[in-house]
Amino acid sequence: MKFLLDNWMLIAIALAAGGGLLWPVISNSAGAGALTANGAVMRINREKAVVVDVREADEFAAGHIAAAKNLPVGQLEGKLASTVKNKSLPLILVCATGARANKALATAKKLGYEQAEVLSGGLKAWSDANLPLEKS
């Protein structure tokens, strides 16, 4: 007990450092719906996830993930059900940086796509991870 009282400051620092190391793990699991570029590749390859690019058509033509479907955010609610018929497949929503895709996530969840996720960092994170882009 004397040791704890004499070294309370060192113990507090050790607990703070441990908390700092655990924070990314805790915050990533709490932030369900956001996905890294490598996680997206695994979903696409293993679970046959459908990639929906919510950018405008001209942005999509400049470069997109292979086999991605282009549905701008404004058209998502009306056309998602006809574009992606199987609601049980994982759905990966992509935009330039992730902002529009986060808005689209609420729409997708409302339409019944429970496995919908956002590519965290958007197409920028995808290209930063040196993953291929396709042009149309």
Side-chain angles (χ1 to χ4, degrees), residues 43 47 87-92 109 112-117:
R43 290 263 195 306
E47 301 174 31
K87 292 183 179 183
S88 64
L89 286 176
L91 187 67
I92 301 172
K109 296 271 186 180
Y113 294 89
E114 292 303 317
Q115 291 192 56
E117 296 178 283

Side-chain angles (χ1 to χ4, degrees), residues 41 63-66 123 126-127 129-135:
V41 170
H64 58 272
I65 296 171
L123 210 59
W126 183 270
S127 60
N130 292 322
L131 294 167
L133 293 175
E134 217 175 62
K135 292 184 180 185

Side-chain angles (χ1 to χ4, degrees), residues 43-44 47-52 67-69 83-84 86 89-93:
R43 290 263 195 306
I44 293 166
E47 301 174 31
K48 298 182 181 175
V50 178
V51 179
V52 176
K69 299 177 185 313
T83 304
V84 183
N86 188 351
L89 286 176
L91 187 67
I92 301 172
L93 299 165

Side-chain angles (χ1 to χ4, degrees), residues 2-60:
K2 182 176 177 353
F3 176 80
L4 294 176
L5 292 174
D6 290 343
N7 296 297
W8 68 270
M9 199 176 297
L10 291 174
I11 293 169
I13 292 171
L15 290 174
L21 290 172
L22 287 176
W23 180 252
V25 174
I26 294 167
S27 65
N28 281 345
S29 63
L35 180 67
T36 64
N38 290 329
V41 170
M42 288 181 12
R43 290 263 195 306
I44 293 166
N45 291 337
R46 294 183 182 169
E47 301 174 31
K48 298 182 181 175
V50 178
V51 179
V52 176
D53 195 319
V54 297
R55 297 175 300 150
E56 296 300 320
D58 58 333
E59 294 174 286
F60 181 79

